Amino acid sequence: MSSADTARRWRHVLTELRPDLPGDWSLRGTGLDTVLVREPLDWALAWIGYSGSPTRPVGWVAAGVQPLVAPFTSWIMTYGVRTDEVRSGPPTVDLSADEAVDQARRFVLDAGLAKIDSWPAERLADVAERDFAQDPRRRRTHWHQLPGWRVVNGTGSPVEPATQLVELCRERAAGTSGTGARQLAEQATFHERLVRAWQDGEREAALEFLTGRRDEALAARKLDQALTP
């Protein structure tokens, strides 16, 4: 199966799935990166997507929530689930098979939506605060979104966690090379600019900065415009 055929099959699966989902969902993206996004799209992007080789029809359906208050360097699964993590169905989905739509539908309705609904924006912000309050040696990655959530929700200054993230990213970048080092450097720069925006104009300027970076990231992935089914 060609990459174009695989992408067409995936879009067909999403188009068939969309009417079965509660609420308002739109198709966004392009090719195999096309996703279903729950509307309205704000600071926590609820999504249903696919991962796999563009030239092989067998891959994984996934569902999760992508915080948009931090750099969007890649899709994260911290707040998501994939077909191979669910025991009730097949670990992979063959997009060329007749049952692909039904398999994707069962996964999303049985497991995907529950995972999405378990991570509303309010919980993401709360977990980020609690994670940051831990001893640094015990923290996970939830606190990486904390500077942004503080600005978006108007709950405090982002300076302390953002400054710590700059230091952490610079330290890790020094021991990394290639794409990883570049992404870490970009994350450090993002948080440096957020701190400067806050110092220049507090929440109003910081929120303007975050909104601009979010919109740029969505546009770069063709997620800024809903597609015609």
Side-chain angles (χ1 to χ4, degrees), residues 98-208:
D98 292 338
E99 60 268 23
V101 173
D102 287 337
Q103 289 176 347
R105 182 184 293 113
R106 285 200 301 272
F107 162 73
V108 172
L109 296 181
D110 293 347
L113 289 178
K115 175 62 73 171
I116 287 172
D117 290 340
S118 72
W119 286 107
E122 295 81 6
R123 185 187 178 201
L124 290 169
D126 179 63
V127 170
E129 285 284 3
R130 288 191 279 117
D131 193 31
F132 184 65
Q134 298 279 339
D135 183 290
R137 293 168 297 182
R138 299 181 58 189
R139 290 176 186 164
R140 301 180 67 185
T141 59
H142 304 294
W143 73 281
H144 293 187
Q145 286 88 47
L146 181 56
W149 285 124
R150 284 187 174 180
V151 171
V152 167
N153 295 327
T155 54
S157 167
V159 172
E160 183 182 2
T163 300
Q164 291 190 28
L165 277 169
V166 171
E167 295 172 355
L168 179 64
C169 291
R170 296 292 186 203
E171 179 182 328
R172 290 180 175 176
T176 311
S177 60
T179 302
R182 185 175 68 253
Q183 289 182 348
L184 287 165
E186 290 173 354
Q187 291 173 39
T189 299
F190 176 97
H191 288 102
E192 286 175 334
R193 294 181 63 189
L194 176 59
V195 169
R196 286 200 299 270
W198 179 270
Q199 292 170 339
D200 289 342
E202 296 195 340
R203 182 172 182 262
E204 182 178 354
L207 185 58
E208 182 179 355

Side-chain angles (χ1 to χ4, degrees), residues 2-185:
S2 69
S3 58
D5 289 338
T6 305
R8 274 194 294 270
R9 280 295 298 169
W10 172 237
R11 179 161 174 165
H12 170 74
V13 168
L14 291 179
T15 301
E16 291 294 309
L17 173 62
R18 182 185 177 199
D20 298 323
L21 301 180
D24 185 15
W25 294 74
S26 65
L27 278 169
R28 294 173 182 252
T30 182
L32 270 185
D33 293 326
T34 303
V35 293
L36 277 173
V37 172
R38 186 161 63 187
E39 302 291 345
L41 195 161
D42 197 4
W43 292 101
L45 187 159
W47 61 275
I48 297 163
Y50 178 86
S51 61
S53 168
T55 57
R56 293 184 66 251
V58 180
W60 303 269
V61 180
V65 175
Q66 182 84 9
L68 298 178
V69 295
F72 190 168
T73 57
S74 62
W75 292 103
I76 63 172
M77 292 301 298
T78 306
Y79 313 107
V81 63
R82 211 169 70 163
T83 47
D84 55 343
E85 299 174 313
V86 178
R87 295 182 179 180
S88 61
T92 58
V93 172
D94 184 347
L95 296 179
S96 66
D98 292 338
E99 60 268 23
V101 173
D102 287 337
Q103 289 176 347
R105 182 184 293 113
R106 285 200 301 272
F107 162 73
V108 172
L109 296 181
D110 293 347
L113 289 178
K115 175 62 73 171
I116 287 172
D117 290 340
S118 72
W119 286 107
E122 295 81 6
R123 185 187 178 201
L124 290 169
D126 179 63
V127 170
E129 285 284 3
R130 288 191 279 117
D131 193 31
F132 184 65
Q134 298 279 339
D135 183 290
R137 293 168 297 182
R138 299 181 58 189
R139 290 176 186 164
R140 301 180 67 185
T141 59
H142 304 294
W143 73 281
H144 293 187
Q145 286 88 47
L146 181 56
W149 285 124
R150 284 187 174 180
V151 171
V152 167
N153 295 327
T155 54
S157 167
V159 172
E160 183 182 2
T163 300
Q164 291 190 28
L165 277 169
V166 171
E167 295 172 355
L168 179 64
C169 291
R170 296 292 186 203
E171 179 182 328
R172 290 180 175 176
T176 311
S177 60
T179 302
R182 185 175 68 253
Q183 289 182 348
L184 287 165

